[in-house]
């Protein structure tokens, strides 16, 4: 079959061990510390003499297909990876943080299922002009299958605040917190309503209040107009830790790359585009720098804080006489020294769409004809310029949607806490050979 250049079926299976823990992680190492009697020594970590290697069993099925003298190449791979005895450090109570390191443990097991498609084509091929393209799309689904802990899940924390939570049956490191469903803008927002906007009444004919944080009442120094409304997920009438929920997955639905190379006589141009779609990011800088009570380092959106004013300027400062005057545009909670409502708690406010498309690299070069260069005994002479991270298209409010994992912790993927952004880099160069 002349149109068929290559057809290959690939099958693979293997076991890979991962020992990426500290040296002597199963034992106790010592560290020095100054004392009033001189240098002393104490244990620097908790031991774990039952520690095992992490183990991944992988299965792979692939297909290579080339057509029409290799002008069209299609590559397909699907894989199944089951990982057991996951290696990670255990969490310790905050009161021992910095005193002694937590032990390495085998935390559980997970599985990854995915597929990757690659299409390489020679779109145009003439004596002077060639255009080649390469498109790759990858899909991956992650799920925790077992946890070897006494609790039902594993928390990913920063400074004692839970940012992610990992449980059996869900992906690793999903964002976890409270769901914001609105803002108290006037007295009526403190009472439950039906789909038509009518107040819900109890058996005595009184309006039913919305859920407030435990032990808090409607008061200026407690919960007031200009504060956020958090969803009462378990419908018990109180906002507490039981109302936290999963807020988003850092794992994208798919990632992609698109490469194009053009050559015309001595000129060559390469444009590479990559991106992801369907993932979420946590912008923790917004949690810090949108608090209106901070004295400095505010983000611009803080200028649209909720402005609490009196309906009747001559009336009292009571709940029936106050409202948020900029309710349609307010992006940040009211000014208050108390903040009993804890408006900046980990919530859906700080979870954003992490999808992006980035023109990752643009390279343009010119190779001088050898009939010119050989006069100066030069075998090859090429001038080029390159732009890296040229443009990024995203709805993410932070500096860079390509975040990675905070402190290289897999439980804190996609958490942007002052990560240094990717720079735009311009390069000019000369390739010369004799």
């Amino acid at each position: 079959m002349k149109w068929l250049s290559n057809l290959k079926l690939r099958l693979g299976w293997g076991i890979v061990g991962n020992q990426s823990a500290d040296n002597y992680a199963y034992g106790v190492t010592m560290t020095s510390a100054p004392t009033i009697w001189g240098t002393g020594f104490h244990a620097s970590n908790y031991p774990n003499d039952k520690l095992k290697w992490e183990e991944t069993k992988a299965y792979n099925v692939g297909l290579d297909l080339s057509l029409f003298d290799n002008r069209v190449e299609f590559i397909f791979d699907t894989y199944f990876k089951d990982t057991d005895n996951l290696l990670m450090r255990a969490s310790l109570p905050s009161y021992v943080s910095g005193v002694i390191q937590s032990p390495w443990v085998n935390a559980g097991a997970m599985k990854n299922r995915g597929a990757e498609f690659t299409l390489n084509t020679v779109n145009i091929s003439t004596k002077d002009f060639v255009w080649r393209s390469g498109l790759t799309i990858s899909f991956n689904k992650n799920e925790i299958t077992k946890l070897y802990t006494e609790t039902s899940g594993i928390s990913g924390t920063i400074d004692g605040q839970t940012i992610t939570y990992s449980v059996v049956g869900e992906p690793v490191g999903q964002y976890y917190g409270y769901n914001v469903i609105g803002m108290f803008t006037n007295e009526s927002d403190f009472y439950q309503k039906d789909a038509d906007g009518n107040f819900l009444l109890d058996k005595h004919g009184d309006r039913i209040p919305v859920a407030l944080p435990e032990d808090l009442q409607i008061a200026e120094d407690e919960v007031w107009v200009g504060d956020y409304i958090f969803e009462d997920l378990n419908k018990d009438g109180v906002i507490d830790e039981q109302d936290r929920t999963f807020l988003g997955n850092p794992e994208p639905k798919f990632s992609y790359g698109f490469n194009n190379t053009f050559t015309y006589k001595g000129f060559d141009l390469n444009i590479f585009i990559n991106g992801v779609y369907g993932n979420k990011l946590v912008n923790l800088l917004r949690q810090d720098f949108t608090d209106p009570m901070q004295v400095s380092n505010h983000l611009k959106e803080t200028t649209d804080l909720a402005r609490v004013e009196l309906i009747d300027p001559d009336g009292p400062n009571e709940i029936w006489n106050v409202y948020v005057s900029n309710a349609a545009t307010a992006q940040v909670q009211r000014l208050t020294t108390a903040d009993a409502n804890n408006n900046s708690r980990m919530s859906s406010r700080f979870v954003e769409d992490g999808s992006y498309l980035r023109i990752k690299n643009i390279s343009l070069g010119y190779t001088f004809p050898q009939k010119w260069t050989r006069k100066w005994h030069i075998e090859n002479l090429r001038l080029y310029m390159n732009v890296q991270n040229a443009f990024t298209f995203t709805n993410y409010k932070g500096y860079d949607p390509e975040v990675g994992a905070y402190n290289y912790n897999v439980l804190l993927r996609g958490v942007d806490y002052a990560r240094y952004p990717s720079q735009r880099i311009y390069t000019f160069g000369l390739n010369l050979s004799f």
Side-chain angles (χ1 to χ4, degrees):
M1 293 179 288
K2 294 183 178 181
W3 54 271
L4 182 62
S5 306
N6 180 50
L7 177 60
K8 182 179 182 180
L9 178 66
R10 293 176 282 104
L11 302 174
W13 174 85
I15 300 179
V16 178
N18 177 12
Q19 57 170 350
S20 60
D22 292 346
N23 292 331
Y24 197 55
Y26 59 88
V28 180
T29 57
M30 306 298 290
T31 188
S32 61
T35 73
I36 59 173
W37 302 283
T39 301
F41 294 87
H42 64 86
S44 64
N45 66 287
Y46 285 104
N48 180 5
D49 59 0
K50 296 181 174 58
L51 192 66
K52 300 178 181 179
W53 277 23
E54 184 178 296
E55 181 182 270
T56 298
K57 296 179 180 178
Y59 309 83
N60 180 81
V61 178
L63 175 69
D64 298 337
L65 175 63
S66 297
L67 307 173
F68 314 120
D69 266 343
N70 294 314
R71 292 196 56 163
V72 177
E73 181 184 33
F74 176 74
I75 303 171
F76 167 75
D77 281 283
T78 183
Y79 58 86
F80 308 87
K81 293 182 179 181
D82 293 318
T83 304
D84 200 2
N85 294 317
L86 287 163
L87 283 171
M88 64 172 291
R89 284 192 180 275
S91 298
L92 293 179
S94 58
Y95 56 81
V96 296
S97 176
V99 178
I100 185 170
Q101 291 185 348
S102 57
W104 282 93
V105 296
N106 297 114
M110 69 176 179
K111 63 181 180 181
N112 283 280
R113 305 288 186 266
E116 183 173 289
F117 302 87
T118 300
L119 179 64
N120 298 316
T121 60
V122 181
N123 305 308
I124 299 175
S125 180
T126 65
K127 178 183 177 181
D128 294 328
F129 180 70
V130 177
W131 171 23
R132 300 176 183 272
S133 296
L135 174 66
T136 299
I137 301 178
S138 300
F139 302 84
N140 184 72
K141 184 177 182 180
N142 171 265
E143 181 184 340
I144 299 173
T145 54
K146 287 186 291 186
L147 287 177
Y148 305 148
T149 62
E150 294 180 0
T151 58
S152 58
I154 299 175
S155 298
T157 62
I158 297 178
D159 297 333
Q161 177 183 213
T162 296
I163 307 297
T164 71
Y165 198 52
S166 303
V167 297
V168 173
E170 297 288 343
V172 173
Q174 286 196 94
Y175 307 129
Y176 192 68
Y178 298 86
N179 186 35
V180 173
I181 58 176
M183 178 182 285
F184 295 111
T185 59
N186 53 54
E187 182 188 15
S188 68
D189 291 332
F190 286 91
Y191 299 95
Q192 298 183 35
K193 303 172 186 176
D194 60 20
D196 297 323
N198 300 313
F199 290 112
L200 297 179
L201 306 177
D202 60 19
K203 61 182 180 180
H204 302 294
D206 297 323
R207 291 182 290 183
I208 301 175
V210 299
L212 300 179
E214 193 171 6
D215 298 328
L216 294 184
Q217 305 294 325
I218 302 174
E220 187 176 6
D221 59 350
E222 297 191 39
V223 183
W224 200 241
V225 294
D227 286 337
Y228 283 105
I229 307 172
F230 300 103
E231 185 176 6
D232 182 17
L233 287 173
N234 59 1
K235 307 300 180 185
D236 64 353
V238 177
I239 301 299
D240 55 23
E241 290 188 351
Q242 302 302 317
D243 295 304
R244 292 183 296 177
T245 185
F246 292 115
L247 302 174
N249 187 357
E251 184 82 20
K253 293 181 178 179
F254 64 87
S255 57
Y256 56 89
F258 186 39
N259 190 62
N260 282 275
T261 301
F262 307 88
T263 59
Y264 177 71
K265 294 185 177 180
F267 291 95
D268 60 88
L269 172 66
N270 178 264
I271 302 174
F272 176 59
I273 298 171
N274 75 325
V276 299
Y277 174 78
N279 63 312
K280 299 294 183 180
L281 300 176
V282 170
N283 191 339
L284 280 189
L285 285 181
R286 289 185 57 232
Q287 185 184 47
D288 285 349
F289 300 146
T290 58
D291 183 349
M293 293 308 297
Q294 292 273 16
V295 296
S296 61
N297 293 327
H298 284 140
L299 295 178
K300 183 179 179 181
E301 64 185 281
T302 315
T303 59
D304 288 325
L305 58 83
R307 292 174 172 80
V308 181
E309 299 182 8
L310 297 176
I311 298 174
D312 178 2
D314 299 322
N317 189 32
E318 300 290 344
I319 187 61
W320 53 266
N321 194 42
V322 292
Y323 76 114
V324 175
S325 61
N326 61 332
T329 60
Q331 299 185 55
V332 172
Q333 68 268 23
R334 66 185 175 117
L335 281 168
T336 172
T337 56
D339 195 16
N341 195 48
N342 192 9
N343 288 290
S344 292
R345 67 180 74 189
M346 175 59 190
S347 70
S348 56
R349 286 181 58 202
F350 311 113
V351 179
E352 302 181 27
D353 180 13
S355 304
Y356 70 90
L357 182 151
R358 169 170 284 167
I359 302 178
K360 187 70 174 179
N361 196 77
I362 302 175
S363 177
L364 175 64
Y366 178 71
T367 302
F368 289 86
Q370 289 186 339
K371 65 180 181 180
W372 296 356
T373 60
R374 284 177 177 172
K375 295 179 181 180
W376 296 284
H377 307 287
I378 297 174
E379 186 66 26
N380 183 70
L381 177 61
R382 179 175 180 268
L383 293 173
Y384 69 91
M385 63 174 294
N386 186 82
V387 183
Q388 189 174 341
N389 301 315
F391 301 100
T392 302
F393 304 93
T394 182
N395 291 323
Y396 179 58
K397 295 180 180 179
Y399 285 115
D400 188 353
E402 198 171 358
V403 174
Y406 177 76
N407 277 352
Y408 308 102
N409 186 343
V410 69
L411 297 178
L412 296 172
R413 292 179 302 158
V415 178
D416 187 358
Y417 201 26
R419 177 192 181 276
Y420 197 82
S422 302
Q423 308 102 314
R424 182 179 297 163
I425 301 173
Y426 299 91
T427 306
F428 301 88
L430 172 69
N431 294 330
L432 181 65
S433 60
F434 295 93

